[in-house]
Amino acid sequence: RSWSPGQARRTNASRRACLVARFSDIYAQERLDAETLLRTYISDVEMVQRIIYIAAVESFHAAKMAYRQFKMRVREILSLGHSGPESLEDAVLDYIVRHEDLYDVRASVNDVILSMNINPKISCPPEIDFIVISTLIQELCCVAFSMQTLIPPLDVAFGIDGELFSETKYYRSFDSDYTAALVAYHVWPALMENSIVIAKGEAVTKR
């Protein structure tokens, strides 16, 4: 299929719909697979859920960093011979969308695992490593990288323990105290477009 200038912008809506659906699929499938796997090593359900939440947030952070570096390299190369008809920014975006397979997702997965290893809120038993959930991390990194090619890009909300529970941002987990106003911890991040919630996350509320 031929690629015409500015096609990344023209396909923005359809790509966005596919990526939002993929993010929801990861929540419904890969997240649960990772939870099941971790629970064979870790009996504390809260710790398992915290690990997965932090993996999701760190995956988006790593993918965004990788995207910025990739975009800078592409812009540098294309600027040498760019003459139109599209703008340089559109040419860069078109190139990235066409060549997303050049994204070094393994490097991002390694960055995520390194960040998780030094996160004071989570821990793994010494006999295992966070690499056991590398499939989930890889899927999240890929979808997060692709979401950076959207106009505007999508990102996950940053949640903190003890924040006021938001009905617009999160679903309460089934084991929550429904009368509690504060988030004890997060299970899954909300997906955001600028400041608008595109897909709700999940959180646990407790007194």
Side-chain angles (χ1 to χ4, degrees):
R1 190 174 58 178
S2 64
W3 187 275
S4 59
Q7 192 155 332
R9 281 185 182 274
R10 289 196 297 277
T11 59
N12 193 72
S14 59
R15 290 188 296 110
R16 179 184 179 279
C18 288
L19 289 167
V20 171
R22 181 68 192 119
F23 184 76
S24 295
D25 288 345
I26 293 171
Y27 169 71
Q29 188 60 58
E30 281 91 345
R31 176 186 69 92
L32 293 179
D33 292 344
E35 191 172 303
T36 300
L37 183 58
L38 283 172
R39 287 185 69 174
T40 63
Y41 303 102
I42 304 168
S43 58
D44 183 353
V45 175
E46 178 179 330
M47 180 57 70
V48 166
Q49 292 180 329
R50 280 182 180 274
I51 288 169
I52 290 170
Y53 172 76
I54 287 168
V57 173
E58 290 291 347
S59 293
F60 267 78
H61 177 71
K64 285 188 297 178
M65 293 289 288
Y67 179 80
R68 281 197 286 269
Q69 291 164 3
F70 189 68
K71 188 177 182 181
M72 281 170 57
R73 289 198 302 273
V74 171
R75 187 189 288 119
E76 197 174 303
I77 293 164
L78 294 188
S79 65
L80 299 174
H82 180 72
S83 59
E86 59 184 339
S87 69
L88 177 60
E89 283 305 302
D90 279 354
V92 169
L93 187 61
D94 281 349
Y95 182 92
I96 295 171
V97 170
R98 273 184 297 159
H99 298 94
E100 283 185 47
D101 57 311
L102 297 178
Y103 166 42
D104 186 359
V105 67
R106 294 305 310 167
S108 287
V109 171
N110 291 338
D111 289 344
V112 172
I113 291 169
L114 284 172
S115 295
M116 292 174 71
N117 282 333
I118 59 171
N119 191 305
K121 287 190 175 180
I122 55 173
S123 61
C124 258
E127 66 271 16
I128 68 157
D129 188 89
F130 291 124
I131 201 163
V132 297
I133 57 166
S134 60
T135 299
L136 171 69
I137 295 169
Q138 181 167 320
E139 289 300 312
L140 283 164
C141 285
C142 286
V143 81
F145 185 90
S146 295
M147 283 178 173
Q148 304 317 298
T149 69
L150 299 174
I151 306 165
L154 303 184
D155 199 0
V156 288
F158 178 73
I160 55 171
D161 294 353
E163 70 178 336
L164 192 65
F165 178 77
S166 168
E167 294 278 359
T168 58
K169 247 185 202 180
Y170 301 105
Y171 295 108
R172 274 186 171 91
S173 289
F174 72 93
D175 53 347
S176 291
D177 178 344
Y178 279 70
T179 64
L182 302 179
V183 172
Y185 64 93
H186 299 78
V187 175
W188 192 251
L191 186 65
M192 311 290 288
E193 184 178 76
N194 293 328
S195 57
I196 299 164
V197 178
I198 300 301
K200 283 187 180 184
E202 184 180 338
V204 176
T205 55
K206 289 179 182 175
R207 288 194 179 278

